[in-house]
Amino acid sequence: MTDTAATDSTEPIWHQTACNLCSINCGVEIKLADDGRTFARVRGDKANPASLGYTCEKALRLDHYQNGPHRLTSPMRRTADGSYEEIDWDTAIREVAAGLAKVRDEHGGETIFYYGGGGQGNHLPGGYSGGTRKALGMKYSSNALAQEKTGEFWVDGQLFGAMSCHTTPDMEHTACAVFLGKNPWHSHGIPRARTVIKEIANDPDRTLIIIDPRVTESAELADIHLQVRPGGDAWLLGAMLTILLTEDLADRGYLAERANRLDDLEALLADVDLDEWADKAGIPLDEIRTATRTIAEAESCAIFEDLGIQMAPHSTLNSWLEKLIFIITGNFGVKGGMNLHTAFGKLAGGGGGGTRLTPVGEHRILSGLMPCNGIPDEILTTHPDRLRAAFVESSNPVHSLADSPRWREAFEALEFSVVVDVAMTETGLCADYVLPASSQYEKAEATFFTLEFPENYFHLRPPLVAPLEGTLPEPEIHRRLCRELGAYSDDDLAPLHEAAAEGLDAYAAAFFDVIGANPDLGKFLPSVLYETLGPVMPEGMESAAAVWGLAQTFVAGNAESAARAGYTDGNQLFDAIITSPSGVAFSSDPYDVTWERMRYEDKKINLVVDELVDEFRTLADEDSRVKDDQFPFILAAGERRSSTANTAMRDPEWRRKHPTTGLRLCTEDAEALGVEDGAKIRIVTKRGETVSNVEISDSMRPGHISLPNGQGLSYPDADPEIDLGVSPNELTSIEDRDWFAGTPHHKHVRARLERV
Ligand code: SF4
């Protein structure tokens, strides 16, 4: 079934794969127990070219994902009383296809929306869903990126000419690493995060700067920690930019050569009152000056912005101001700075600068994704163009998006809904049908988090074990749905079957002829590849068929990057991918390639984002220091901690072994409330209330509280002795979102605390 490192029967067999618990997907090796399915041991895979053997402690817990008791082993159909009954696969495929086709035929395929397509470790299902979506005429989709990154993508488009111009930090080589709204110790974001930030912190010639309201594990290591007021990032960034431009710290020669509209930017910053803005940011001005000068004077600087500013007030504006800092200091397109990377597959739709709107709420669709906070209102309305059906895959919006109560209401209002997942989730419990998928370790799987530079990596993981009985890999589910919906016929595929039997070169030649002669077949490409190329793939690797198409596309569009990595045609790259269970470097670039990737014709950066200028001007009057008397605390709803993971881990037993942590608040606030560590406390927001354990932690600023992410999952039959924690999105509201991108304010939820 899988690769092995064994040389004789006495040696352990280690299977190369990856951890699926965060976007870094460290390479790991797993040893199975005697039953052939339990993950007995997990260790870092030194042969993985990106992670080089590194892991954090979370990878050791992967068996809770793979072998949790909540795995589904049969398609489930909801009955009239709300319970679920098992049905066979033929019935499930027939009824799901019929249910979706009925909505399409009565109201149009655009009233069916698609959510998900993959979590932190599995993006192939999203690719394979393309055929099903085309067969149904679906037009709207979304995923977690639309509650995190779409504002940043849009800013990239404004600065560099296209949203596909995604910047990545060269942390390995930088002299000054800045993490903004990010705790890389627990949320990672770069390969070998803990090793890299420790190396920077321990090197007297390099500087680690952490900007975070909390004294995080990363902040404890940092040379400089700016403990910004929650929600005060825009004032901090505005003050830093003003210091750069007024204290002769900008790289003016670089800007003259590389950027447009510096005069307009300086005019916009001319009225910034540094003392007042520092106060609104909650940081002494001399600390801001020191950090700003350190960035400007460093040989190079790379900045990683993340959810701390993207899920907070002024989210999209924050992204613009952050990027101006590395641009004004000449740190774009250079070693140790920020660069534009290649991508092996698309993470989101690209393009779409905001002119496309949702049909009911007219929210901007950025990078092809509906803003998550707007989706319930696209359903809960009598508008004739409302969304009427949902196809959710490898995602759990009812639990992981803002305002769980509103999402449950929206799902109940749909005419038809289906969820594809490995376990019964909170979203599954609202759906008409739940189809059980094989796990990420039971089929070939991969992600498109290919965000590195100058080398970029892709890891196609072979399966470790056979699919759990009763489950199907998503490519097979979509193949069956495409066939049931009449997307194509056996006759359409016959020439490709014949060519596949003759090898990849014959297949490539036939493929372009067949698709050229029958362009409609091209709409269902992933399923066509799965049906025709899948059967000649090595055993267990059928799901990798679509990767062949991506390899051809990548080499055709990025010939020089691929050649520098050693690949001159798509079949050569594909061969390397399927025979390298620890992953490959598929792309290699020199630093100046970043300027070639700029999409403005003059290859210059546009410094001023006109749509955000008015919002910037409002900062002069807005005051982050003002408290809400009814809700005096600022809650970060969803903080990564050692004992948290994404909700892929659905096993209550892992909470017994790694107990939940609770609401963090500082000693000063705990004393004022009269609560002790471990006490129960009620958290109340305008949306809801819940009771959590108290965890007193002086890593918090007074007035700032936080709840962990990924907890509070529903296990109706769990041991009541196990504390499952609280679900943060019972407290968040869809109304709290960025005015431009619609990204939620999860890190800035106004709350009050009451003793229980
Ligand atoms: S950093 Fe940790 S959680 Fe993320 S992929 Fe690696 S081992 Fe898994």
Side-chain angles (χ1 to χ4, degrees):
M1 170 56 55
T2 68
D3 49 303
T4 169
T7 54
D8 66 54
S9 60
T10 60
E11 285 189 27
I13 298 171
W14 290 97
H15 303 268
Q16 290 85 45
T17 182
C19 171
N20 65 349
L21 296 178
C22 88
S23 65
I24 293 305
N25 302 123
C26 296
V28 296
E29 294 186 296
I30 293 179
K31 184 185 170 196
L32 299 173
D34 291 344
D35 63 8
R37 294 197 73 86
T38 304
F39 290 4
R41 289 184 61 195
V42 181
R43 68 183 185 190
D45 178 7
K46 292 186 178 141
N48 184 289
S51 59
L52 304 174
Y54 172 94
T55 70
C56 75
E57 70 280 8
K58 293 184 184 179
L60 306 179
R61 307 164 184 169
L62 284 172
D63 190 62
H64 289 289
Y65 161 76
Q66 170 62 21
N67 292 308
H70 292 258
R71 292 282 309 272
L72 287 171
T73 54
S74 167
M76 306 296 280
R77 177 173 62 195
R78 189 153 64 163
T79 63
D81 67 5
S83 63
Y84 286 84
E85 61 186 0
E86 295 186 355
I87 54 174
D88 63 75
W89 271 105
D90 287 348
T91 305
I93 293 291
R94 191 173 61 250
E95 292 184 4
V96 167
L100 292 167
K102 181 169 181 284
V103 175
R104 174 196 63 189
D105 297 342
E106 290 179 1
H107 306 292
E110 67 275 14
T111 65
I112 308 170
F113 86 97
Y114 179 84
Y115 187 85
Q120 299 282 20
N122 58 324
H123 292 167
L124 289 185
Y128 282 102
S129 73
T132 305
R133 288 196 259 172
K134 287 276 171 32
L136 288 162
M138 291 161 72
K139 196 168 150 194
Y140 297 109
S141 67
S142 195
N143 61 41
L145 286 172
Q147 68 160 356
E148 300 172 350
K149 302 289 177 190
T150 40
E152 185 191 357
F153 292 166
W154 180 81
V155 167
D156 285 335
Q158 299 298 303
L159 295 173
F160 310 122
M163 282 201 264
S164 56
C165 293
H166 183 252
T167 54
T168 201
D170 185 15
M171 290 297 179
E172 291 273 358
H173 301 109
T174 195
C176 178
V178 182
F179 291 90
L180 173 56
K182 179 162 192 71
N183 175 14
W185 192 265
H186 278 314
S187 68
H188 313 292
I190 57 169
R192 308 185 307 117
R194 293 177 184 175
T195 304
V196 170
I197 64 170
K198 278 196 284 188
E199 279 170 4
I200 296 170
N202 292 336
D203 186 336
D205 295 328
R206 303 172 80 191
T207 308
L208 177 65
I209 299 178
I210 300 289
I211 302 175
D212 199 301
R214 197 168 82 73
V215 186
T216 61
E217 295 78 359
S218 308
E220 284 173 353
L221 286 174
D223 300 287
I224 297 174
H225 174 209
L226 298 180
Q227 196 174 5
V228 63
R229 185 191 307 283
D233 311 282
W235 289 275
L236 169 63
L237 295 167
M240 292 174 87
L241 285 169
T242 304
I243 292 166
L244 286 173
L245 287 167
T246 57
E247 298 189 7
D248 202 21
L249 296 169
D251 189 338
R252 289 185 181 271
Y254 172 96
L255 291 172
E257 186 188 352
R258 299 291 196 185
N260 291 320
R261 302 184 66 188
L262 180 59
D263 290 348
D264 292 345
L265 180 64
E266 291 196 281
L268 183 62
L269 293 165
D271 295 331
V272 168
D273 177 334
L274 282 177
D275 288 311
E276 190 180 345
W277 283 45
D279 204 42
K280 288 180 179 177
I283 304 172
L285 182 55
D286 60 338
E287 287 185 27
I288 299 176
R289 276 210 167 91
T290 300
T292 308
R293 286 180 182 149
T294 302
I295 290 170
E297 289 162 6
E299 196 178 314
S300 59
C301 176
I303 308 181
F304 196 130
E305 66 158 84
D306 209 358
L307 306 188
I309 65 161
Q310 292 168 342
M311 289 183 163
H314 304 295
S315 166
T316 308
L317 176 64
N318 287 338
S319 290
W320 174 34
L321 301 180
E322 175 269 314
K323 287 169 193 287
L324 286 177
I325 288 176
F326 66 71
I327 293 167
I328 284 175
T329 52
N331 281 299
F332 177 72
V334 295
K335 184 175 182 179
M338 306 295 292
N339 286 282
L340 302 181
H341 59 86
T342 51
F344 188 68
K346 269 205 239 173
L347 269 178
T355 49
R356 201 175 151 221
L357 302 175
T358 61
V360 177
E362 300 190 342
H363 305 297
R364 289 177 193 81
I365 295 177
L366 301 178
S367 202
L369 302 174
M370 290 178 121
C372 298
N373 278 37
I375 297 171
D377 287 345
E378 301 288 322
I379 300 167
L380 293 165
T381 166
T382 55
H383 194 289
D385 297 333
R386 67 186 178 276
L387 299 176
R388 296 168 190 262
F391 194 121
V392 177
E393 188 158 34
S394 301
S395 287
N396 189 4
V398 168
H399 183 275
S400 60
L401 300 183
D403 210 330
S404 295
R406 187 80 170 150
W407 270 97
R408 283 192 288 271
E409 194 186 343
F411 257 84
E412 294 303 333
L414 289 168
E415 291 174 27
F416 190 86
S417 54
V418 57
V419 169
V420 179
D421 214 320
V422 297
M424 185 61 97
T425 63
E426 289 69 22
T427 306
L429 287 166
C430 298
D432 295 313
Y433 291 82
V434 184
L435 305 181
S438 307
S439 85
Q440 297 182 35
Y441 299 99
E442 294 169 350
K443 63 201 175 216
E445 192 51 278
T447 74
F448 300 126
F449 291 130
T450 49
L451 311 174
E452 301 308 317
F453 185 95
E455 267 68 51
N456 207 350
Y457 309 97
F458 180 69
H459 187 187
L460 179 71
R461 295 121 53 184
L464 274 67
V465 293
L468 186 65
E469 196 173 339
T471 68
L472 288 178
E474 292 92 338
E476 178 62 22
I477 295 173
H478 287 294
R479 182 195 75 78
R480 293 187 188 192
L481 285 171
C482 279
R483 286 304 193 120
E484 186 68 26
L485 290 162
Y488 49 83
S489 68
D490 286 343
D491 287 348
D492 292 328
L493 302 186
L496 291 174
H497 278 301
E498 283 167 26
E502 293 170 29
L504 286 181
D505 289 339
Y507 187 83
F511 181 83
F512 295 109
D513 285 348
V514 169
I515 297 298
N518 183 3
D520 273 356
L521 199 57
K523 290 192 216 162
F524 315 107
L525 215 48
S527 288
V528 168
L529 287 166
Y530 175 75
E531 285 220 37
T532 57
L533 197 56
V536 299
M537 301 282 291
E539 188 195 347
M541 296 294 281
E542 299 82 357
S543 298
V547 174
W548 177 85
L550 294 172
Q552 310 300 319
T553 307
F554 180 78
V555 175
N558 303 271
E560 291 181 8
S561 300
R564 282 189 288 264
Y567 307 108
T568 50
D569 76 63
N571 282 347
Q572 190 191 11
L573 175 57
F574 182 63
D575 267 339
I577 287 170
I578 61 169
T579 54
S580 305
S582 296
V584 298
F586 66 92
S587 162
S588 177
D589 286 320
Y591 287 91
D592 59 5
V593 82
T594 286
W595 299 104
E596 291 169 28
R597 294 200 174 124
M598 291 279 296
R599 296 292 287 277
Y600 286 125
E601 241 172 64
D602 63 0
K603 304 291 180 192
K604 286 190 168 186
I605 304 162
N606 167 44
L607 294 175
V608 178
V609 178
D610 289 314
E611 284 89 338
L612 300 177
V613 165
D614 285 346
E615 184 185 358
F616 183 83
R617 291 204 171 107
T618 66
L619 295 177
D621 298 323
E622 189 183 328
D623 198 340
S624 57
R625 297 164 295 194
V626 176
K627 271 193 180 178
D628 181 326
D629 289 342
Q630 205 186 346
F631 299 110
F633 287 92
I634 302 297
L635 167 69
E639 178 188 62
R640 299 245 188 125
R641 300 178 186 170
S642 178
S643 60
T644 70
N646 60 40
T647 57
M649 205 94 98
R650 294 197 70 89
D651 179 1
E653 283 303 311
W654 104 274
R655 295 256 59 96
R656 192 197 304 274
K657 289 177 188 153
H658 303 281
T660 184
T661 54
L663 181 85
R664 281 186 176 153
L665 74 170
C666 69
T667 305
E668 183 182 324
D669 286 337
E671 286 177 355
L673 287 158
V675 293
E676 296 185 345
D677 202 58
K680 297 281 182 196
I681 198 156
R682 178 173 292 109
I683 311 159
V684 185
T685 67
K686 70 177 181 185
R687 186 62 183 108
E689 60 180 72
T690 190
V691 172
S692 170
N693 298 329
V694 166
E695 183 183 327
I696 297 176
S697 166
D698 286 328
S699 66
M700 307 301 296
R701 283 177 70 118
H704 189 214
I705 56 180
S706 79
L707 277 172
N709 75 314
Q711 300 192 357
L713 298 176
S714 313
Y715 301 111
D717 52 355
D719 179 348
E721 297 277 300
I722 301 176
D723 179 2
L724 299 173
V726 301
S727 170
N729 283 316
E730 299 295 332
L731 300 170
T732 55
S733 166
I734 55 168
E735 294 165 7
D736 295 334
R737 59 193 181 208
D738 185 61
W739 73 276
F740 189 86
T743 37
H745 292 168
H746 285 326
K747 305 296 183 189
H748 197 270
V749 180
R750 294 192 184 277
R752 72 167 175 271
L753 300 178
E754 297 172 353
R755 288 175 60 180
V756 175

